[in-house]
Amino acid sequence: MPNRKIATPISLVEVKTACSNCNLHELCLPMGLSHDEVEKLDELVSNRRRLKRGEHLYRAGEPFDSIFAVRSGFFKTDVLLEDGREQVTGFQMTGELLGLDGISTEIHSCNAVALEDSEVCAIPFSHLEGLSREIHTLQHHFHKVMSREIVRDHGVMMLLGTMRAEERLAAFLLNLSQRFTARGYSPAEFYLRMTREEIGSYLGLKLETVSRAFSRFQEEGLIAVQQKHVRILNIPGLKQLMNHQQGRG
Amino acid sequence: MPNRKIATPISLVEVKTACSNCNLHELCLPMGLSHDEVEKLDELVSNRRRLKRGEHLYRAGEPFDSIFAVRSGFFKTDVLLEDGREQVTGFQMTGELLGLDGISTEIHSCNAVALEDSEVCAIPFSHLEGLSREIHTLQHHFHKVMSREIVRDHGVMMLLGTMRAEERLAAFLLNLSQRFTARGYSPAEFYLRMTREEIGSYLGLKLETVSRAFSRFQEEGLIAVQQKHVRILNIPGLKQLMNHQQGRG
DNA sequence: CGCGCTGTTGAAACTTGTCAAAGTTTGTGG
DNA sequence: CCACAAACTTTGACAAGTTTCAACAGCGCG
């Protein structure tokens, strides 16, 4: 089993977490590949890495050479402006890829931080390009993943450009709910891994505005929220809120 | 010279606009390819298409099969919400690619509209993937282009999430200036192809706010603007405005 | 067990949106 | 080529939404 640190003896745990034995098949890069193809992909995932909460996976300005698949845990990515302003550009959970921003210049353009203890698989990008040339399915799937990221970003732009505070938070909660559902968790109950400030940064709002919107949703019986624990009581209600309001400040 | 309409005789004009004879080498997909490689790419650019101002290149919901390179002219892309709200997600000029959003689901997720009479080269995506498997340089360059789009989107998210109206407009004008410069035009003087409303939609502002910001920049001697004609008088001034203000409403 | 980080809430200030009116340019048809 | 209509832009006054500032409460980590 190839591993960057060649001298290190290979533990059973590492073998078991190769793509072919990973339960993220249907979410992650191996999606749609045949058994044989996944085994080829195994050779490519050179390295796993564990991160503690708060640790950086990479920082803006660092050289890029791998993309990362989240194996467990939760991440945020953010960009900084010279004057110190920060924008969270995304939250990544199990099976999602990190580092696509670095392909462009071979320098990472954002920071990736673990919001809880996490584990990632590093995929050296040149190897991925190599294997993509052999396995059409992998090539096509990778292109779809990049494109999906672009479409997702357009959704965030729509949110930031046209929605008011409560609509943004509703959209955010519904998006999380959907992604947790896709991973086999409850659509209606989850723990937020990020602070109000990080939610606010992602949604283009101040933390106080986020907090007030949470309180308002609770008053209206849409959700039950206590700190980071959220229970969605009325999904259709949130959807309606997101779509039928007008204008923005 | 392969062409979708096989029965159509090939005009000299069409031959002349193959990648190998196109003056967009250094901006467009053939960037960095050898002469031989560009000739292979020629075979791939199956079709040119002319569009009148206001015409749609594609619409959200239509099946995707090609990406497009802008040969001349100017485009916008936008997304619509069910309730009618619209967000312009980008403006594309010469040498830039359109349609990357469609790869993900094989359905276009946004609309692309010509803002002036324009011409595009259609590149069937499956052919591009095929040729990418042969030509590493092309594969890598295409990945960089997609990644660059992701990075650009992060920049827009930063703009929408953290900047106030005048900062957004300053950033917008500086970005246009830079892109015109890269195409050999003046960095300081250009015609806007889009309306105040379209600028506003892109920047997450109402058209009146955009108009007021233009007026304010003019009062302050940063630009001279008359309708769609813009002359930037003080580029450092705009940069400073973009970076050193704080807070947002 | 307390200190710091995080979250909540209130009141005032500020930015941007909304509505309205008038001016300007562009495009069309006679 | 002119005249008129439609589309776009500018500007003002007011309203609404979000931020700012401030105080306090709660949770969790050391």
Side-chain angles (χ1 to χ4, degrees):
Chain A
M1 187 101 303
N3 192 308
R4 277 254 186 84
K5 306 175 202 147
I6 301 163
T8 313
I10 294 123
S11 75
L12 185 61
V13 177
E14 283 189 1
V15 173
K16 287 186 82 168
T17 56
C19 294
S20 46
N21 297 303
C22 177
N23 56 1
L24 297 175
H25 260 141
E26 293 311 312
L27 288 167
C28 194
L29 218 48
M31 196 182 97
L33 300 194
S34 74
H35 181 72
D36 289 358
E37 288 167 344
V38 175
E39 292 207 328
K40 284 192 190 173
L41 192 59
D42 280 351
E43 297 173 23
L44 192 148
V45 177
S46 65
N47 219 333
R48 276 188 309 139
R49 190 168 150 197
R50 287 177 192 279
L51 294 100
K52 287 263 170 230
R53 183 154 81 92
E55 218 178 313
H56 280 251
L57 176 58
Y58 56 80
R59 290 170 196 270
E62 287 177 3
F64 161 86
D65 65 357
S66 296
I67 61 173
F68 302 93
V70 180
R71 206 177 130 59
S72 68
F74 207 93
F75 287 82
K76 72 166 177 183
T77 49
D78 61 18
V79 226
L80 267 90
L81 232 50
E82 301 99 68
D83 58 20
R85 282 182 283 189
E86 179 190 350
Q87 173 77 23
V88 170
T89 53
F91 296 107
Q92 295 78 23
M93 48 177 82
T94 302
E96 296 177 335
L97 295 186
L98 279 158
L100 300 177
D101 57 280
I103 299 168
S104 149
T105 58
E106 284 161 32
I107 304 275
H108 284 290
S109 70
C110 63
N111 303 294
V113 186
L115 295 183
E116 60 181 24
D117 293 359
S118 302
E119 200 173 345
V120 299
C121 303
I123 305 165
F125 187 62
S126 58
H127 296 199
L128 179 61
E129 285 191 329
L131 200 57
S132 280
R133 279 181 240 120
E134 287 177 42
I135 309 177
H136 301 195
T137 327
L138 177 63
Q139 179 194 38
H140 193 57
H141 182 57
F142 177 65
H143 290 159
K144 285 191 170 196
V145 168
M146 291 211 86
S147 173
R148 195 197 303 153
E149 182 66 16
I150 292 172
V151 174
R152 187 194 72 83
D153 290 346
H154 289 177
V156 178
M157 286 163 64
M158 166 65 88
L159 179 147
L160 292 171
T162 74
M163 292 185 181
R164 49 181 52 185
E166 293 187 9
E167 296 176 289
R168 295 185 199 190
L169 186 63
F172 175 69
L173 291 174
L174 289 168
N175 175 265
L176 282 184
S177 161
Q178 185 195 306
R179 286 156 75 198
F180 280 124
T181 307
R183 282 156 185 78
Y185 299 112
S186 164
E189 188 165 8
F190 44 83
Y191 280 89
L192 299 170
R193 269 68 173 192
M194 67 297 279
T195 66
R196 300 287 188 265
E197 184 167 22
E198 286 162 336
I199 297 173
S201 172
Y202 182 62
L203 299 179
L205 301 168
K206 292 295 167 188
L207 67 95
E208 294 94 331
T209 309
V210 174
S211 178
R212 279 185 248 270
F214 269 119
S215 301
R216 192 122 206 287
F217 285 179
Q218 175 139 272
E219 280 168 29
E220 290 169 0
L222 292 166
I223 64 173
V225 58
Q226 196 173 33
Q227 305 292 132
K228 295 200 154 59
H229 178 241
V230 174
R231 206 149 40 88
I232 304 184
L233 304 174
N234 184 354
I235 290 190
L238 282 180
K239 284 188 179 151
Q240 201 179 326
L241 176 64
M242 193 181 101
N243 285 310
H244 293 305
Q245 237 166 285
Q246 276 299 7
R248 45 162 260 105
Chain B
M1 188 101 304
N3 192 305
R4 277 256 186 84
K5 305 174 202 147
I6 301 162
T8 314
I10 295 124
S11 76
L12 184 61
V13 178
E14 285 190 1
V15 173
K16 288 186 79 168
T17 55
C19 293
S20 46
N21 296 302
C22 178
N23 56 1
L24 297 176
H25 260 142
E26 292 311 312
L27 288 167
C28 195
L29 218 47
M31 197 182 94
L33 300 195
S34 73
H35 182 74
D36 289 358
E37 289 168 344
V38 175
E39 291 207 329
K40 285 192 188 171
L41 191 60
D42 281 351
E43 296 172 22
L44 192 149
V45 177
S46 64
N47 219 333
R48 277 187 309 137
R49 188 167 150 199
R50 287 176 193 280
L51 294 100
K52 288 263 169 228
R53 183 155 81 90
E55 217 178 313
H56 280 252
L57 175 59
Y58 56 79
R59 289 169 196 271
E62 287 177 4
F64 160 87
D65 65 357
S66 295
I67 61 174
F68 302 93
V70 180
R71 206 178 128 61
S72 67
F74 207 93
F75 287 81
K76 72 165 177 183
T77 47
D78 60 21
V79 225
L80 267 89
L81 232 51
E82 300 97 69
D83 58 19
R85 282 182 283 188
E86 180 190 349
Q87 172 79 22
V88 171
T89 53
F91 296 107
Q92 294 78 20
M93 47 177 82
T94 303
E96 296 178 334
L97 296 185
L98 279 157
L100 300 178
D101 58 280
I103 299 168
S104 149
T105 57
E106 284 161 35
I107 303 275
H108 284 289
S109 71
C110 64
N111 303 293
V113 186
L115 295 182
E116 61 182 23
D117 293 359
S118 301
E119 199 172 346
V120 298
C121 303
I123 305 165
F125 186 62
S126 57
H127 296 200
L128 179 61
E129 284 190 329
L131 200 57
S132 280
R133 280 181 240 119
E134 287 178 41
I135 309 178
H136 300 196
T137 327
L138 177 64
Q139 180 195 36
H140 193 58
H141 182 58
F142 177 65
H143 290 160
K144 285 190 169 197
V145 168
M146 290 210 89
S147 173
R148 195 197 303 151
E149 182 67 16
I150 292 172
V151 175
R152 187 195 72 83
D153 290 346
H154 289 177
V156 177
M157 285 163 64
M158 166 65 88
L159 179 147
L160 292 170
T162 73
M163 292 185 182
R164 48 182 52 187
E166 292 186 9
E167 296 176 289
R168 296 184 199 189
L169 187 62
F172 175 69
L173 292 173
L174 289 168
N175 175 264
L176 282 184
S177 162
Q178 185 195 308
R179 286 155 75 198
F180 280 124
T181 307
R183 281 156 186 80
Y185 300 111
S186 165
E189 188 165 7
F190 44 82
Y191 280 88
L192 299 170
R193 268 71 172 189
M194 68 297 279
T195 66
R196 299 289 188 264
E197 185 166 22
E198 286 162 336
I199 297 173
S201 172
Y202 182 61
L203 299 179
L205 302 168
K206 293 294 166 187
L207 68 96
E208 295 93 332
T209 308
V210 174
S211 179
R212 279 186 248 270
F214 269 121
S215 302
R216 194 121 204 287
F217 285 179
Q218 175 139 271
E219 280 168 29
E220 289 169 2
L222 292 166
I223 65 173
V225 56
Q226 196 173 32
Q227 305 292 132
K228 295 201 154 60
H229 179 243
V230 173
R231 206 149 40 88
I232 304 184
L233 304 174
N234 184 355
I235 290 189
L238 282 180
K239 283 186 181 154
Q240 200 179 325
L241 176 64
M242 193 181 103
N243 285 311
H244 292 307
Q245 238 167 285
Q246 277 300 7
R248 43 164 262 104

